[in-house]
Amino acid sequence: EKITIERNAHGKPYLPGHPQICFNISHSGEYAACAFASIPIAWICSSTAALPGSAWQNGIFPTKTRNALRSGNAETLFFRIWTEEESYGKWRGTGLSGSLGTEKKEGFCMHFSPEKGYEGAVWAAEPVKICMKRIEP
């Protein structure tokens, strides 16, 4: 059977005719990966190689979050918050269309760091087990 991938209005991919197969794709730096589950799932992995300038200072986050970023390890905290927000938007299927850090969230977020220089987050309706396998080309 030929497998086709379609996208919702916000670009979230899905397999028409196969609602029991949920997946999400992320890529950053040298890596690309896919998550599979029997429930809707989203994940994001982000390279921490380049902190996006002063993105966290220019108003994309609410004042409370910007203040927290100024008081601690800004890079680590920024990517923890960013991957959580982005994976939540992917899970909902709306992307980053909401106000970052201001909406009450449902579901569960699990953070992970697959290796030095990368931070990630997985979002789902219930806790999921994260198993990673590196496949060399």
Side-chain angles (χ1 to χ4, degrees):
E1 167 184 357
K2 181 180 178 185
I3 296 176
T4 59
I5 297 174
E6 293 186 12
R7 296 182 180 276
N8 74 8
H10 298 282
K12 182 178 174 99
Y14 66 94
L15 299 172
H18 300 282
Q20 75 282 10
I21 302 173
C22 300
F23 72 100
N24 198 244
I25 300 168
S26 181
H27 59 87
S28 184
E30 299 178 4
Y31 298 97
C34 188
F36 292 94
S38 59
I39 60 174
I41 187 168
W43 87 289
I44 183 73
C45 186
S46 184
S47 168
T48 61
L51 185 62
S54 59
W56 57 273
Q57 296 175 340
N58 70 10
I60 65 168
F61 291 122
T63 302
K64 182 179 176 182
T65 303
R66 290 194 310 270
N67 290 340
L69 287 165
R70 288 186 190 102
S71 67
N73 182 340
E75 182 174 307
T76 300
L77 187 54
F78 173 86
F79 282 102
R80 184 174 179 88
I81 294 167
W82 181 258
T83 57
E84 185 172 312
E85 292 291 336
E86 191 170 358
S87 64
Y88 184 71
K90 288 176 77 173
W91 178 64
R92 286 183 37 218
T94 60
L96 292 172
S97 60
S99 298
L100 292 175
T102 61
E103 61 186 304
K104 184 175 182 329
K105 294 179 176 64
E106 315 169 338
F108 294 87
C109 182
M110 286 75 53
H111 292 273
F112 65 95
S113 183
E115 66 180 61
K116 186 173 175 52
Y118 288 85
E119 292 296 326
V122 173
W123 207 288
E126 58 193 54
V128 295
K129 182 178 178 181
I130 300 172
C131 299
M132 293 184 280
K133 181 175 181 177
R134 180 183 216 129
I135 302 172
E136 298 293 333

